[in-house]
Amino acid sequence: MSFSSFPQAPLAHALTPFGWDDAWAAEFAPYVAQGLVPGRVVRVDRGQCDVMTADGIVRADTAFVTPHDPLRVICTGDWAAVEAAGNPRYVKAYLPRRTAFVRSTSSQRSEGQILAANVDHAVIAVSLAVELDLGRIERFLALAWESGAQPLVALTKADLVPDPTALSYLVEDVETAAPGVQVLTVSSVTGEGTDVLAAVVADGTSVLLGTSGAGKSTLANTLLGIDVMEVRAARDVDGKGRHTTTTRNLLALPGGGVLIDTPGLRGVGLWDAEVGVGQVFSEIEEYARNCRFHDCAHEAEPGCAVLAALESGALAERRLDSYRKLLRENQRIVAKTDARLRSEIRRDWRMKSAEGRANHAAKRGRRV
């Protein structure tokens, strides 16, 4: 069967709301001759997944697409090639991902874990019911930028900050930590900001990220217009919530677009996210271009434009500390899977250790 003979009209009608377009149709062309049908993965659990096809949601087995590489397992948001019939039906392949959210796991093997695929917008939910953790926001932003999606920060529970001046200061703090990112104040109680957010997520696929208690499920219900996601109250003592969402679910929005709601993330470990970190700290990267040495570490080198910006007050010390911390963490993760980089880090460490011993000895008036 040629791709041109594939029944396009009903397929487009059924899957267009879930993000199907001409580019995905072209990618899927080789699978048509195999008798497979396209569908979007809306949920994954225990080796099986729910896939939205032209005939509705089908339950499919992922045994044929479960490789040893955890980054290549099928995930919510993937476009899959599914058997047209059978019991059980199997996912035989999935299309190349346009974007992918990956974080490091807490395992000793430091594997990457894929959270969602083919996402256009990353909505980072941050609760205003507790003190802002700018460092955590920067982590989420690095994850989002590295994925290839456009991040947006939604400051939820804005109704709990009735003082406009105080609210403006909080927004300013987040905007400083999120250059180039739209920051919205949102309240599911008053409706503040929800119309703007709905307009953003109506274009493409969006994912909701954040910690437990950030108000993700409430926000999802507001965007959906119905109570699909269960909501649990956050603890008054620390604003933390229990995991309302336990799996990643892809849902079609009434105003257009689709939304992936995710469980609250306790840890936001980076996974080979150097580009994402650079994007979050774009002002530091800009200063670094004017450093005297191209490999400047921004520690004590002469002619360091970053340190000059710090001394003049143009760069906040908190930002530089956070930048250094995330770069070091990312380097450690990459080094665990890159033997060449591990060797370079060890060599650099030995050189710095030798320099430190020599400087210490010189101060004490003896040679080494």
Side-chain angles (χ1 to χ4, degrees), residues 65-347:
V65 285
T66 307
H68 295 297
D69 184 351
L71 297 182
R72 297 178 60 195
V73 298
I74 200 161
C75 73
T76 303
D78 272 326
W79 282 100
V82 188
E83 289 180 324
N87 186 21
R89 292 169 71 166
Y90 287 92
V91 174
K92 289 302 186 72
Y94 61 84
L95 302 184
R97 294 160 176 159
R98 294 178 182 175
T99 62
F101 278 82
V102 180
R103 70 165 177 172
S104 66
T105 65
S106 57
S107 69
Q108 294 300 314
R109 290 180 295 177
S110 297
E111 295 177 335
Q113 178 191 21
I114 185 158
L115 300 177
N118 302 313
V119 173
D120 302 295
H121 308 285
V123 180
I124 301 166
V126 179
S127 173
L128 290 175
V130 295
E131 185 176 354
L132 289 176
D133 186 340
L134 298 178
R136 186 183 295 274
I137 293 173
E138 287 161 347
R139 282 177 171 273
F140 274 111
L141 288 170
L143 182 74
W145 281 123
E146 188 68 30
S147 76
Q150 172 66 45
L152 177 150
V153 178
L155 299 178
T156 64
K157 309 180 184 181
D159 54 286
L160 299 181
V161 188
D163 182 358
T165 301
L167 184 59
S168 67
Y169 286 147
L170 292 172
V171 172
E172 184 179 347
D173 287 343
V174 175
E175 287 176 338
T176 301
V181 174
Q182 185 176 9
V183 178
L184 287 176
T185 53
V186 179
S187 170
S188 297
V189 174
T190 66
E192 177 186 351
T194 56
D195 55 340
V196 178
L197 182 58
V200 172
V201 299
D203 180 23
T205 299
S206 302
V207 64
L208 269 175
L209 300 171
T211 59
S212 296
K216 298 188 306 303
S217 294
T218 300
L219 196 56
N221 285 335
T222 299
L223 293 170
L224 288 162
I226 52 176
D227 291 338
V228 173
M229 311 306 295
E230 180 188 0
V231 177
R232 297 179 182 176
R235 298 191 304 236
D236 291 336
V237 64
D238 56 10
K240 293 182 180 179
R242 291 171 291 174
H243 287 295
T244 299
T245 305
T246 56
T247 59
R248 287 170 280 279
N249 303 281
L250 186 147
L251 305 159
L253 296 170
V258 291
L259 181 70
I260 300 175
D261 190 22
T262 65
L265 299 177
R266 290 190 179 92
V268 191
L270 302 184
W271 177 262
D272 197 5
E274 184 176 355
V275 173
V277 173
Q279 189 74 37
V280 176
F281 299 92
S282 56
E283 81 278 26
I284 297 179
E285 299 268 305
E286 187 64 33
Y287 288 131
R289 292 188 180 93
N290 295 318
C291 289
R292 180 182 301 177
F293 304 109
H294 75 277
D295 59 348
C296 183
H298 321 307
E299 297 288 351
E301 296 85 349
C304 176
V306 172
L307 295 180
L310 182 66
E311 186 175 351
S312 70
L315 175 64
E317 186 172 0
R318 189 206 68 80
R319 286 282 284 173
L320 182 57
D321 288 343
S322 185
Y323 174 69
R324 288 168 171 164
K325 180 180 180 180
L326 292 185
L327 279 184
R328 286 195 300 268
E329 177 185 324
N330 188 70
Q331 189 178 47
R332 287 196 299 270
I333 291 295
V334 174
K336 288 181 179 180
T337 57
D338 188 327
R340 180 187 59 79
L341 183 58
R342 283 200 302 272
S343 177
E344 290 179 357
I345 291 174
R346 291 194 186 99
R347 184 171 63 250

